[in-house]
Amino acid sequence: MSRLAIEGGTPVRAKPFPEYRTIGAEEKAAVAEVLDSGVLSAFLGTWSPEFLGGPRVRKLEEEWTAYFGVAHAVSMNSATSGLYAALGAAGVGPGDEVIVSPYTMSASAAGPLLYNAIPVFADIDPETFCISAETIRAVITPQTKAIVVVDIFGHPADMDAIMALAAEHGLTVIEDAAQAPGAKIGDRYAGALGHIGVFSLNYHKHIHCGEGSVVVTDDPALAEKLQLIRNHAEAVLQQKPGGGGDLNNMLGFNYRMTEIEAAIASEQLKKLDGLLGSRVERANQLTELLSNTRGISTPVVRAGCVHSYYAYALRYDAAVVGVPRSQFAEALRAEGIPIAEGYVAPIYLQPLYQERKLYGGTGSPWNDPAHKGSVSYERGICPVTERMHFEELIYTGALHGQLSPADIEDFGEAFHKVANHYCRAAA
Ligand SMILES: *Cc1c(COP(=O)(O)O)cnc(C)c1O
């Protein structure tokens, strides 16, 4: 058995893994065409055909509806904007509670605050790291208005059970599929499983266009609200024939996508199948290699689901291996394997939630008299999330479809080397 790199031995992997690169000649040509046209964005914040954007924006939206099998697609300048617009379209407001995940990128939880509503955290499922019907049910109150479910790391949340629960209580479900384009339950795409789905096109995602997002829904009324919030609702509604109507949250922003981003995103969407297919192959290869590694549990893929492996997340059992997670991860990093301990800290531990200071530093919206009830952000409210984050989860974002089978073998070899070394020492 060779010496661990952390103890002076030779690392399994001396050179860095290839980075994920998806932008090529197709995107370059598409951008050149936009530049040649001289029109980099064709949106107008008036009730006119241009209210819905330029030709490439609309083409992207059509392609998105066809690919994901949804009725409406509304592009935005980021998934953060998309999540905020979705909450606005859902009619979330003062006094409402919105159930969110504590284990996600911060924007999936913060959106309710924009509309003076209260984020309430449901715990995650220890297999998929997503919130579940069970954990959501535990925090539903008469104030609950909506749920933001995240298909975290690329595994779809248990959306059928969540939608059934939401129907029971009349709640709107927003599915944050930023990490899960191409993930599936059966033949249905993640992102198309809730009332509104949000995809991201930022640089770190499977496909990207700089910054961008597409928001999808089958509900025409929600689609129109999304379009209005994207583009100066307050100005446009007064021009719209028969406008006015439901003014709830009809304050618009500028969340518009440019023609350049739309042109790039169209090319990227064509590549999604191929990029995802090879990523899943590599992930499966690693899962196979690690299947009998003591102290390590490989990612769970529920029956009938496609996991998109935005991140490859493992669970670590310190009691089996005999060393703390930090030491195990440090040893892996010394072997040349990029591994993080945990993902992002449970969101309710952020100062925003701990101190409840936001608008004017007054405690609003938490102390708004419209809000009946109380919400806790104490450490301990989501014990599974805390255990995963602080004790068990190790993950890498470096695994993708442009790695070779030999690269994956290095991952496997390093895990075996480190796990065997410490397990033997513990035995
Ligand atoms: C990346 C990400 C977002 C935000 O996406 P942007 O397009 O960068 O605003 C939201 N939710 C999740 C789960 C993400 O991974």
Side-chain angles (χ1 to χ4, degrees):
M1 175 104 273
S2 54
R3 208 140 57 101
L4 291 186
I6 201 173
E7 293 171 1
T10 310
V12 169
R13 177 82 185 192
K15 59 175 202 272
F17 290 97
E19 286 187 12
Y20 188 53
R21 287 280 178 267
T22 68
I23 301 296
E26 304 80 6
E27 288 78 7
K28 250 182 166 168
V31 169
E33 204 184 293
V34 178
L35 293 175
D36 288 343
S37 80
V39 182
L40 308 191
S41 176
F43 269 105
L44 277 180
T46 61
W47 186 252
S48 62
E50 289 77 26
F51 167 65
L52 296 176
R56 289 169 190 83
V57 160
R58 288 189 237 180
K59 177 169 165 279
L60 171 67
E61 292 172 348
E62 262 173 42
E63 291 161 354
W64 212 273
T65 57
Y67 188 95
F68 290 98
V70 288
H72 305 277
V74 183
S75 59
M76 304 266 175
N77 60 4
S78 75
T80 300
S81 304
L83 287 161
Y84 292 1
L87 288 157
V92 165
D96 291 336
E97 294 177 355
V98 177
I99 297 172
V100 299
S101 171
Y103 215 42
T104 177
M105 188 261 171
S106 68
S108 0
L113 292 167
L114 182 66
Y115 291 97
N116 288 286
I118 311 292
V120 173
F121 293 91
D123 207 355
I124 60 171
D125 176 282
E127 284 194 345
T128 63
F129 314 110
C130 302
I131 61 174
S132 68
E134 221 183 329
T135 63
I136 292 166
R137 189 187 291 280
V139 293
I140 289 180
T141 74
Q143 277 71 247
T144 308
K145 174 91 177 181
I147 311 169
V148 181
V149 181
V150 186
D151 302 316
I152 199 71
F153 306 146
H155 195 295
D158 191 2
M159 289 299 287
D160 290 332
I162 292 170
M163 291 305 285
L165 177 65
E168 239 178 79
H169 294 268
L171 310 176
T172 303
V173 177
I174 296 161
E175 185 185 9
D176 178 347
Q179 302 186 357
K184 286 181 180 176
I185 298 180
D187 57 5
R188 296 168 302 144
Y189 279 106
L193 304 171
H195 298 110
I196 304 177
V198 181
F199 294 90
S200 173
L201 290 161
N202 98 4
Y203 166 61
H204 301 282
K205 303 296 154 65
H206 291 71
I207 57 172
H208 59 100
C209 65
E211 303 284 355
S213 166
V214 181
V215 182
V216 300
T217 182
D218 282 332
D219 181 331
L222 287 175
E224 187 178 89
K225 286 189 170 152
L226 289 165
Q227 290 162 342
L228 282 160
I229 292 169
R230 169 174 69 178
N231 190 9
H232 306 293
E234 72 288 353
V236 174
L237 269 181
Q238 70 180 14
Q239 304 160 350
K240 188 186 160 211
D246 179 8
L247 290 176
N248 189 9
N249 294 339
M250 285 300 109
L251 174 64
F253 296 82
N254 177 348
Y255 288 161
R256 308 177 316 201
M257 181 184 271
T258 73
E259 289 289 282
I260 295 177
E261 288 148 347
I264 298 172
S266 280
E267 293 304 325
Q268 288 275 292
L269 182 59
K270 290 182 204 161
K271 298 181 177 178
L272 178 57
D273 276 349
L275 291 169
L276 184 63
S278 52
R279 186 185 289 241
V280 170
E281 261 177 46
R282 295 295 171 270
N284 288 343
Q285 184 194 346
L286 184 56
T287 296
E288 183 72 31
L289 286 171
L290 298 184
S291 57
N292 294 315
T293 312
R294 278 176 296 169
I296 295 291
S297 308
T298 52
V300 169
V301 184
R302 293 254 166 92
C305 288
V306 173
H307 192 318
S308 70
Y309 294 105
Y310 170 78
Y312 189 90
L314 299 143
R315 281 171 63 182
Y316 175 73
D317 189 338
V320 170
V321 182
V323 294
R325 181 183 64 172
S326 55
Q327 187 174 341
F328 186 82
E330 199 53 51
L332 274 173
R333 287 191 286 265
E335 299 296 339
I337 304 301
I339 279 288
E341 296 145 59
Y343 177 50
V344 294
I347 288 180
Y348 50 82
L349 298 179
Q350 289 174 357
L352 168 63
Y353 300 95
Q354 290 299 303
E355 311 221 355
R356 304 192 188 204
K357 290 217 175 96
L358 183 59
Y359 299 114
T362 60
S364 169
W366 288 280
N367 62 6
D368 189 328
H371 181 230
K372 312 256 180 305
S374 63
V375 57
S376 170
Y377 299 135
E378 293 295 300
R379 203 167 163 138
I381 58 169
C382 296
V384 177
T385 305
E386 293 179 19
R387 180 157 53 88
M388 291 304 133
H389 181 72
F390 294 109
E391 296 170 32
E392 295 191 21
L393 194 119
I394 53 178
Y395 97 111
T396 181
L399 190 156
H400 53 76
Q402 294 166 343
L403 267 51
S404 68
D407 291 328
I408 300 295
E409 280 166 25
D410 286 347
F411 267 87
E413 190 186 327
F415 268 93
H416 288 153
K417 182 180 172 187
V418 173
N420 286 342
H421 175 90
Y422 288 130
C423 285
R424 184 160 316 154

